Amino acid sequence: MLTAVNHFFTTFGATVIVPVMILIVARFLGVKFKIALKSALAAGVGLTGFSWLITAFTPVVTKLIKQMVETTGIHLPVVDIGWQAGSLAAFGSTIGLSFFIGGLLIELLLFATGITKVFMPSNLWNNFGLMIWATMAYVVTHNFVLAFGLATFLLLVTLLLAEVQADAWSAYYQVPNATVASPHNIEQVIPILILDPLWNLLGFNKVHFTPTHFKERFGLLGEPTSLGAILGLLIGILGNLKRLGSMAAWGQITQFTIQLAAIMTIFPLVTQVFATAFTPLAEAIDQKHQVKATSKAVITDPKRWFLGIDDGVGYGETATLIAGMLLLPIMVALAFILPGNRTLPVVDLIAIPFMVESIVALTRGNLLKVIATGVVWFSLGLYAASWLGDVYTTAVAHYGATLPTGVVLITSFNLIARPFNALIFAAFISQSPLWIGLCIILYLVALVFLRTRRPQIWAYLRKMATKNDAPRDGAK
């Protein structure tokens, strides 16, 4: 039966199946047919746009990366072409689509039973951050149950971490009773919890970096188009070091500069179209959800719950954006010098502000801590992406965009450079009851601790946050 279902999905493709699924789910939730149809078409248009851009851009960047290896000796064969390729594969696979529906039901059940205090279905489309890991697990094991179980377990971990940071995120970004639960960005709660006491011992909490100071001098770098052009120019030069005196070389360099700037400009526009497909679903779910959020902000309120919202809400906050801008060149430099690294971050570098939101919130925007934590964690992430390059490339080639023959390995710095998720992935694809069982036991211990000690956890995090006495200038 699974083979027949997979054949059906393969025949029609994600650009047809996903809109149909959204139309059905939207109608089931009571969304008017006209709005449901508009959402479905937006999903199809977004997925088609992703596919076209990826298909056009991949051979261009592949050629230049191969030249860079030949001219500089820098061998980074795993190239980041953006999270959109992973999204396309996640929605294009049978296991991914199955979890899209099943995950929604599980999220509703977890909230209804009180296992989580975070209402995640309001940010439904970010489930692709779970679906891509399930898709990769299925590529490796061909075990549907195990892959679905991996996505479910990652969902549980995501909700737990989202609740741990919820009080701090809501306070810092000034969105009452809200938190982000993006599966591909939430694990940064872990390194800051571990490293924050160390940073305080080193006196980082007393170093006052001013976001406004950086923005006044480097504001242009915060624009996607500028970031793409600068990075495109750098990669173009590295790929033509031995022939910089020729017009042909500068033709390729300048063309790639514009091409990468275009990718970083157009991808967010297509993403906005794709995201609109899920807005009516989230609104319908919120309307059906009868529990009202408490207005109390005290950490001892046992009834306090949080609405999961898109992490785009925090992207433009000054400290968040500046930290992302500063980490961008740092991560490119580290990619070149870290021994054994095979990954070159490119398109997803613009997503770094999304990736640091939890760190920013838990340190009250202490830029030195954010950058230091990002360097440590994202460096480990480069190794995770290097290890998973073959699997991710296979998943995207099979379920997502068609990759040209001879293409270098691809990745997504935002989706796959995830050390913690990679460890869980390794445990599940081992298919060892011991390692999978250990993951489950550790989660249950953490869940019980959170359920019984939530006020104390939040009080501790508030106490740690107050040690960062730098002013939050420029915050929303």
Side-chain angles (χ1 to χ4, degrees):
M1 180 178 177
L2 184 58
T3 302
V5 172
N6 185 60
H7 178 68
F8 176 80
F9 286 159
T10 303
T11 300
F12 288 94
T15 56
V16 174
I17 298 297
V18 172
V20 171
M21 297 291 289
I22 288 178
L23 180 62
I24 293 172
V25 173
R27 291 295 294 149
F28 178 77
L29 292 172
V31 177
K32 293 181 179 180
F33 180 79
K34 180 180 178 180
I35 298 176
L37 180 60
K38 185 177 180 181
S39 294
L41 290 174
V45 169
L47 289 173
T48 300
F50 289 155
S51 180
W52 286 351
L53 289 171
I54 292 164
T55 302
F57 180 68
T58 301
V60 174
V61 70
T62 295
K63 180 180 179 180
L64 201 52
I65 293 303
K66 287 182 176 179
Q67 287 180 206
M68 186 181 75
V69 172
E70 293 172 358
T71 57
T72 66
I74 299 173
H75 187 55
L76 299 175
V78 184
V79 182
D80 161 35
I81 67 168
W83 60 262
Q84 293 83 357
S87 173
L88 194 65
F91 280 103
S93 66
T94 304
I95 180 64
L97 282 174
S98 298
F99 190 80
F100 178 67
I101 302 299
L104 170 61
L105 299 176
I106 294 171
E107 289 163 8
L108 291 170
L109 179 63
L110 291 172
F111 186 79
T113 56
I115 294 176
T116 181
K117 298 293 185 180
V118 177
F119 190 65
M120 190 171 176
S122 53
N123 192 25
L124 180 64
W125 89 280
N126 267 326
N127 276 355
F128 78 86
L130 304 166
M131 292 153 57
I132 185 59
W133 289 94
T135 301
M136 291 194 299
Y138 185 77
V139 165
V140 174
T141 66
H142 300 290
N143 187 325
F144 187 93
V145 175
L146 182 138
F148 196 95
L150 170 63
T152 302
F153 184 77
L154 288 174
L155 169 62
L156 292 170
V157 173
T158 295
L159 290 169
L160 187 145
L161 294 176
E163 189 172 340
V164 168
Q165 71 147 23
D167 179 68
W169 193 96
S170 177
Y172 183 82
Y173 289 101
Q174 300 179 23
V175 185
N177 296 315
T179 185
V180 293
S182 173
H184 37 287
N185 292 327
I186 194 66
E187 73 166 41
Q188 277 73 257
V189 172
I190 296 172
I192 191 57
L193 290 179
I194 296 172
L195 294 172
D196 197 42
L198 173 61
W199 300 149
N200 287 340
L201 285 175
L202 295 175
F204 285 12
N205 56 304
K206 298 178 181 179
V207 178
H208 299 173
F209 274 132
T210 307
T212 301
H213 174 81
F214 282 102
K215 191 171 184 179
E216 288 174 352
R217 287 162 175 75
F218 305 107
L220 181 63
L221 297 181
E223 299 176 5
T225 305
S226 301
L227 291 172
I230 294 169
L231 188 58
L233 180 64
L234 173 63
I235 295 174
I237 292 174
L238 288 175
N240 289 276
L241 281 178
K242 293 183 178 180
R243 57 188 195 121
L244 290 177
S246 69
M247 184 180 297
W250 284 103
Q252 185 185 42
I253 292 170
T254 52
Q255 285 181 24
F256 187 72
T257 298
I258 299 300
Q259 287 164 342
L260 188 52
I263 284 292
M264 286 200 168
T265 303
I266 298 172
F267 257 145
L269 298 178
V270 179
T271 300
Q272 289 176 11
V273 174
F274 187 56
T276 60
F278 297 85
T279 302
L281 275 67
E283 291 176 349
I285 292 171
D286 290 342
Q287 290 173 2
K288 288 180 176 293
H289 187 66
Q290 298 300 315
V291 180
K292 295 182 179 179
T294 174
S295 60
K296 296 180 180 179
V298 293
I299 60 178
T300 56
D301 183 4
K303 294 183 179 180
R304 189 183 182 197
W305 62 276
F306 297 84
L307 188 69
I309 61 176
D310 190 86
D311 47 12
V313 172
Y315 186 95
E317 191 273 329
T318 304
T320 306
L321 194 57
I322 297 301
M325 285 169 22
L326 294 174
L327 278 167
L328 190 154
I330 292 173
M331 293 316 303
V332 173
L334 287 173
F336 289 140
I337 65 176
L338 284 174
N341 171 56
R342 303 168 64 226
T343 299
L344 177 64
V346 182
V347 178
D348 269 349
L349 287 170
I350 196 170
I352 292 181
F354 292 119
M355 298 162 67
V356 299
E357 282 189 26
S358 297
I359 306 173
V360 172
L362 290 168
T363 61
R364 289 192 181 176
N366 184 312
L367 288 177
L368 184 57
K369 284 186 177 181
V370 177
I371 294 168
T373 306
V375 165
V376 172
W377 198 246
F378 298 152
S379 294
L380 294 175
L382 288 174
Y383 289 112
S386 299
W387 170 56
L388 292 166
D390 294 277
V391 178
Y392 183 79
T393 302
T394 301
V396 171
H398 189 72
Y399 296 111
T402 301
L403 302 179
T405 303
V407 70
V408 292
L409 298 175
I410 63 170
T411 191
S412 163
F413 185 59
N414 189 206
L415 293 180
I416 307 302
R418 294 279 166 261
F420 187 65
N421 285 357
L423 284 176
I424 296 174
F425 178 81
F428 271 76
I429 64 171
S430 73
Q431 303 187 61
S432 166
L434 174 63
W435 292 114
I436 297 174
L438 181 61
C439 289
I440 295 173
I441 291 172
L442 291 175
Y443 164 76
L444 291 175
V445 170
L447 178 64
V448 170
F449 187 72
L450 176 62
R451 288 277 72 83
T452 57
R453 295 288 188 273
R454 188 172 80 161
Q456 291 88 337
I457 293 172
W458 285 352
Y460 167 77
L461 293 177
R462 285 190 179 188
K463 179 181 178 181
M464 294 298 288
T466 57
K467 295 182 179 182
N468 302 287
D469 52 2
R472 274 188 55 213
D473 51 14
K476 285 186 177 180

